Every structure is written in C-alpha cells, then in structure tokens.
Amino acid sequence: MPTGCWLAQAGLLDGREATSYWRCQDDYRRRFPAVNWCFERLITESANLCCAAGASAMNDLLLHQVNRLCGAKVASGISRDIMFDMRRAYDFTPLGFGGYKQHGDRAIEQVQQWLESHYPEQLVLAEVARRHGMSLRNFARRFVAATGEKPLAYLQRIRVDVARNLLIHSDKPIQQIALAVGYQDSSYFCRQFRLQTRLTPAVYRRHYRLSEERPADT
C-alpha cells in the first residue's frame, strides 16, 4: 500500500499537500477528502511528512533525504554504487517538493505557493515580485536566501517536475506537454528537461513508464 495512504489513514495529512500512486487518485479523494491531494507531483513534503507517487519517485525521495542528512557526496556514492541500475544521474535538487518551505520567510512561501499554482502561465518575474509587494531586486535576494535557488530556476524545476509526471502517466505528445507546463518552444523545453534529469523527454518516458508498470509500483 502506498505511503500516502498510511499517513492519510492516520489523519496526519489532513489539510496538507500529499501525493500517491496515480491510479489511486479517485479512491483516495473519496476516502480522504481532508487531504490536499496533488497527484500531478511525484513527491510532496509538508511539515516533514513526505509522500512519493511510485517506486521511482521513492528512490528520488530517499536520495534527497540522504543528501539532506549526510551530504551530496554520500548520496552520490549511493546513487553510483547501489542504484546504478536505475540508469539515472541525480543532481540532488529537491525533486518534486515544490521547494523547501521551512525557511521562515512567509512572504517567499506565499510566492512559492503562487508559482506552484501558476507555473503554466507566461510569467514575468518583475510582475510576480510586484504582485507580492516587493521590488525585483529585493524579491530575488530574499528568494535565494530562503530557498537556496533563483526564482527562475525554481519555476523551471516545477515545470519539469510536472512534465515528468505527464510523460509517465499520459499519452500526450511531447510538444503538448511542453505547452501544458508553460513552454511555448518545445526545443527549449527539451533542453531544460535534459538539464534537470540528464535524459531527453522521450528517453525519460520510455524508461520510467516501464518502471511504473512493474508490480513494485502498485
């Protein structure tokens, strides 16, 4: 049974974001209506409670936690020596989390949540900053100080995370997926996707769709 179900059953996810295996979404929304289910995400984290959408996402989550607790060198060694058969190069960004939000800057947390809801739109960062009552320079400085990454990089990661899920769980052509997550230029989308995953969208879909069809993911 997916981890999200156990946490939801215990009432620990009420009012919090969570994800789980995509085939369970109708059942879980019916059984646990108090949970803010985000099935478009591969991984979620809320108040230190983490959920993964399948076996591949669980590997991402475990490596992220190793990186957080032990550092990138240890996590890289595990990826190289233990998970080599995944044929995946990990860059140890917070995959699928929608970003680190335990930083204490409430204004930046609100920006993060807003970006996670508006990522498909054609956004101008100066307008995003103004919407949240900040100058562009102050916004950029506070965002990096709080999250450890630049606002544009954060937005790109959200878009690629959603695209990863669509590649696995839908039959949409890559060009349509690019448009769905906010990229008008599918070539630019492919470059951004490869920068973050080390794989082209087509290769990622082929490999991880096969992974998700294995019994271990159900």
Side-chain angles (χ1 to χ4, degrees), residues 173-184:
I174 290 172
Q175 186 173 10
Q176 287 187 18
I177 290 176
L179 289 170
V181 300
Y183 294 102
Q184 300 298 312

Side-chain angles (χ1 to χ4, degrees), residues 13-206:
L13 295 178
D14 289 359
R16 304 187 186 283
E17 293 182 347
T19 191
S20 192
Y21 187 50
W22 68 279
R23 292 185 186 277
C24 303
Q25 58 182 304
D26 292 337
D27 181 43
Y28 284 10
R29 285 195 171 108
R30 176 180 56 81
R31 293 171 59 191
F32 311 113
V35 179
N36 181 15
W37 292 109
C38 303
F39 290 100
E40 74 280 5
R41 297 186 188 172
L42 295 176
I43 299 172
T44 59
E45 181 181 51
S46 180
N48 294 322
L49 296 175
C50 300
C51 300
S56 300
M58 181 59 73
N59 282 324
D60 281 351
L61 174 57
L62 292 173
L63 282 172
H64 172 76
Q65 297 296 351
V66 170
N67 177 65
R68 172 184 287 176
L69 297 172
C70 304
K73 184 176 181 180
V74 174
S76 179
I78 290 174
S79 174
R80 181 186 65 247
D81 299 332
I82 298 177
M83 296 181 174
F84 61 89
D85 60 324
M86 296 297 292
R87 298 178 185 178
R88 161 79 187 268
Y90 292 89
D91 60 5
F92 306 115
T93 54
L95 298 165
F97 286 87
Y100 176 65
K101 296 190 179 73
Q102 309 302 316
H103 45 66
D105 190 328
R106 180 57 182 162
I108 295 301
E109 182 181 342
Q110 290 176 344
V111 174
Q112 290 174 273
Q113 293 171 345
W114 190 88
L115 288 173
E116 289 162 20
S117 299
H118 294 81
Y119 65 86
E121 302 174 13
Q122 298 305 301
L123 302 176
V124 177
L125 292 180
E127 294 178 1
V128 174
R130 186 163 52 252
R131 172 185 288 271
H132 291 87
M134 290 177 273
S135 68
L136 179 58
R137 177 175 295 184
N138 184 44
F139 166 59
R141 178 186 60 78
R142 287 178 63 176
F143 198 98
V144 172
T147 69
E149 61 184 328
K150 295 180 179 179
L152 182 57
Y154 184 89
L155 175 62
Q156 303 280 30
R157 182 163 57 78
I158 293 172
R159 288 173 169 174
V160 169
D161 280 346
V162 177
R164 289 166 58 185
N165 201 37
L166 289 172
L167 286 165
I168 295 172
H169 301 312
S170 80
D171 294 319
K172 290 182 178 180
I174 290 172
Q175 186 173 10
Q176 287 187 18
I177 290 176
L179 289 170
V181 300
Y183 294 102
Q184 300 298 312
D185 184 341
S186 59
S187 296
Y188 181 71
F189 161 67
C190 290
R191 290 196 299 273
Q192 288 298 320
F193 191 93
R194 189 163 188 172
L195 280 173
Q196 294 194 40
T197 68
R198 308 296 194 270
L199 300 173
T200 66
V203 171
Y204 185 94
R205 166 176 270 171
R206 186 163 58 249

